[in-house]
């Protein structure tokens, strides 16, 4: 259960990071509300997962999922350039996250 909550929380990290970027410095209402709700839910899920998972593993997985998804959203929406190097680095993060799960 903790792993499922952690993965969902990592996805919500990408949601709040993307919403923060689109909020124009918290000046646009809708993205700001999405940012705040996703932030609270993401942190609550991370805190729940840390009850049973080691802090280092939980945090690294949470950040890894959020970082990969945020970068992917940015690249697919045209906000960031796509390159082979970026894709390979993102795949390395995914490999690290999977490795942490398998090592647990």
């Amino acid at each position: 259960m903790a792993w499922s909550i952690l993965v969902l929380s990592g996805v919500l990290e990408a949601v709040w990071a993307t919403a923060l970027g689109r909020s124009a410095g918290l000046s646009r209402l809708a993205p700001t509300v999405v940012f705040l709700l996703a932030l609270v839910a993401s942190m609550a899920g991370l805190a729940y997962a840390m009850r049973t998972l080691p802090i280092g593993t939980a945090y690294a997985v949470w950040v890894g999922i959020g970082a990969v998804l945020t970068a992917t959203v940015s690249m697919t929406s045209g906000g960031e350039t796509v390159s082979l190097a970026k894709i390979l680095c993102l795949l390395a993060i995914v490999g690290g996250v999977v490795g942490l799960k398998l090592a647990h």
Side-chain angles (χ1 to χ4, degrees):
M1 177 73 154
W3 280 101
S4 298
I5 298 295
L6 183 61
V7 169
L8 177 60
S9 296
V11 171
L12 288 171
E13 184 194 2
V15 170
W16 70 250
T18 301
L20 179 60
R22 294 181 178 170
S23 73
L26 304 178
S27 65
R28 296 179 57 223
L29 182 61
T32 299
V33 170
V34 170
F35 160 70
L36 292 171
L37 293 174
L39 177 66
V40 170
S42 179
M43 291 292 177
L46 176 61
Y48 176 82
M50 284 182 173
R51 289 180 180 177
T52 56
L53 299 175
I55 187 171
T57 299
Y59 185 71
V61 168
W62 179 75
V63 168
I65 291 169
V68 168
L69 290 177
T70 302
T72 301
V73 166
S74 184
M75 286 190 282
T76 57
S77 68
E80 187 172 336
T81 60
V82 180
S83 71
L84 179 60
K86 286 182 183 180
I87 292 170
L88 292 175
C89 289
L90 291 172
L91 288 173
I93 294 171
V94 170
V97 167
V98 170
L100 286 171
K101 168 61 174 131
L102 295 174
H104 184 263

